Amino acid sequence: MPGSTLAPPAAPGERSAASVTSHVSGRRGPSLWMLVPAMAFFAFFGLVPLLGTVVLSFFTWNGLGTPSFAGLDNWTTVLQRSATYHALWLTILMCAATFVVQFPISLLLGVFMAGRQRYRAVFSVLYFLPLLFSATAIGIAFKNLLDPNFGLSSALHLGVLQQDWLGSPGLAFWVVILVVSWCFIPFHSLLYQAGARQIPQTMYEAAQLDGAGRVRCFFSITLPQLKYTIVTSTTLMVVGTLTSFDLIYVMTNGGPGDATRILPVDMYLQGFQSNQMGLASVIAAILIALGLTFSLVLNRLSGSDRMESQMEGM
């Protein structure tokens, strides 16, 4: 075209002006200033309490008077207590046991509910009921239902139920694990349901044309496609169990003896019953370190830090 100002073709090994402009424009996006409200919210409600807890772990304070600097005395006391290591062991055991219970049930329920049939929607509503109740209400309900004097065993007169479920050190810990799992399975089922519905239907159709059955499709398509959902759900299961307190405190108060005294319960009892906020802050710092370590290890092992969209065209 006469008068046009077409740029000459770029020489081999040189980047054209258009590619440079495209590269620069590709780096443009929402301003980083849009992150300020979220970062301010996180700093105020996340970082400030965290730093306050770490600082308080070096002070002696009963919750009312003036804190006095204690150096490393609180840390030495907590790390020399046998109760701390017992609580740490129970916490790790509870994380592992709740994962073993929750993961397969949540996965199967989520995949089942991902179907489009109407009766599955009805079942979904029923499965999600535990998610609607508060942990305190669930704890009180199960504590009364499992009471050996006037609970289910007394009402139904079934010999198998006539146990002191929450009063026996050998039973209480496992009963608490089942109740905690019952509370959180609906939430993780919801995650798996959403993940399963994102799997392209064409993958199943192609597999069925090759003669694959439902079991083969589940293990060859569904499970691999839910990899990142599994990582997210597992992280939430572990971190959620690490912070479980209200349900366990209402049901057993850490007992009988110290059978269910996991780290969060131990932290509360030290801080608000023994009035030793410094020791409680040390236990809180250990919990934070434990949660961050679990999350980082899970993300590193699973490669979720390299997550990419698995949706068609994305």
Side-chain angles (χ1 to χ4, degrees):
M1 179 182 296
S4 66
T5 55
L6 293 176
E14 295 182 358
R15 301 175 66 185
S16 65
S19 65
V20 172
T21 304
S22 174
H23 179 70
V24 172
S25 62
R27 300 172 75 178
R28 292 177 179 172
S31 171
L32 293 178
W33 286 105
M34 297 180 68
L35 289 175
V36 171
M39 295 302 295
F41 187 87
F42 174 72
F44 186 76
F45 291 101
L47 294 182
V48 171
L50 175 62
L51 293 176
T53 300
V54 174
V55 170
L56 190 57
S57 68
F58 296 100
F59 286 81
T60 299
W61 188 40
N62 62 7
L64 295 175
T66 302
S68 59
F69 185 71
L72 295 175
D73 290 350
N74 291 330
W75 286 85
T76 305
T77 302
V78 169
L79 295 179
Q80 288 180 344
R81 290 169 65 226
S82 60
T84 302
Y85 295 98
H86 178 73
L88 179 62
W89 163 245
L90 289 182
T91 304
I92 295 174
L93 183 61
M94 182 169 288
C95 288
T98 52
F99 171 77
V100 169
V101 175
Q102 290 183 68
F103 170 66
I105 298 177
S106 301
L107 176 63
L108 294 176
L109 280 178
V111 173
F112 171 76
M113 292 185 296
R116 304 292 181 180
Q117 296 86 347
R118 183 170 299 177
Y119 72 91
R120 298 194 186 195
V122 177
F123 282 131
S124 300
V125 173
L126 298 177
Y127 294 145
F128 291 151
L129 281 179
L131 211 56
L132 304 178
F133 305 129
S134 72
T136 304
I138 292 174
I140 294 174
F142 272 97
K143 187 176 182 179
N144 288 301
L145 287 174
L146 298 175
D147 191 287
N149 297 316
F150 54 87
L152 282 177
S153 60
S154 176
L156 302 178
H157 301 289
L158 294 177
V160 69
L161 294 178
Q162 292 177 353
Q163 307 278 348
D164 193 1
W165 298 100
L166 297 178
S168 170
L171 287 174
F173 182 74
W174 303 106
V175 170
V176 166
I177 287 174
L178 292 177
V179 175
V180 170
S181 301
W182 181 82
C183 289
F184 292 104
I185 281 176
F187 171 74
H188 296 286
S189 299
L190 190 64
L191 294 180
Y192 288 120
Q193 181 191 25
R197 283 188 172 173
Q198 300 302 316
I199 301 175
Q201 192 63 28
T202 53
M203 299 180 72
Y204 293 104
E205 294 171 356
Q208 288 169 358
L209 288 176
D210 292 337
R214 289 187 176 184
V215 176
R216 181 66 182 276
C217 287
F218 177 78
F219 285 102
S220 299
I221 298 176
T222 305
L223 271 183
Q225 292 295 313
L226 289 177
K227 173 185 175 184
Y228 297 134
T229 307
I230 292 173
V231 174
T232 303
S233 173
T234 302
T235 304
L236 292 176
M237 284 181 193
V238 172
V239 176
T241 305
L242 284 176
T243 57
S244 292
F245 160 74
D246 43 4
L247 182 60
I248 301 172
Y249 182 76
V250 169
M251 290 182 67
T252 65
N253 197 18
D258 56 359
T260 58
R261 187 165 172 151
I262 63 174
L263 280 178
V265 178
D266 190 36
M267 176 186 66
Y268 177 83
L269 296 178
Q270 287 291 335
F272 294 96
Q273 287 195 357
S274 301
N275 296 323
Q276 295 178 324
M277 296 297 178
L279 300 183
S281 298
V282 174
I283 299 172
I286 294 174
L287 268 174
I288 293 168
L290 206 60
L292 290 176
T293 303
F294 276 137
S295 299
L296 289 175
V297 169
L298 284 171
N299 280 274
R300 286 291 181 183
L301 291 179
S302 61
S304 61
D305 52 343
R306 301 183 296 276
M307 279 188 180
E308 295 178 354
S309 175
Q310 295 175 307
M311 294 181 63
E312 288 177 310
M314 299 293 288

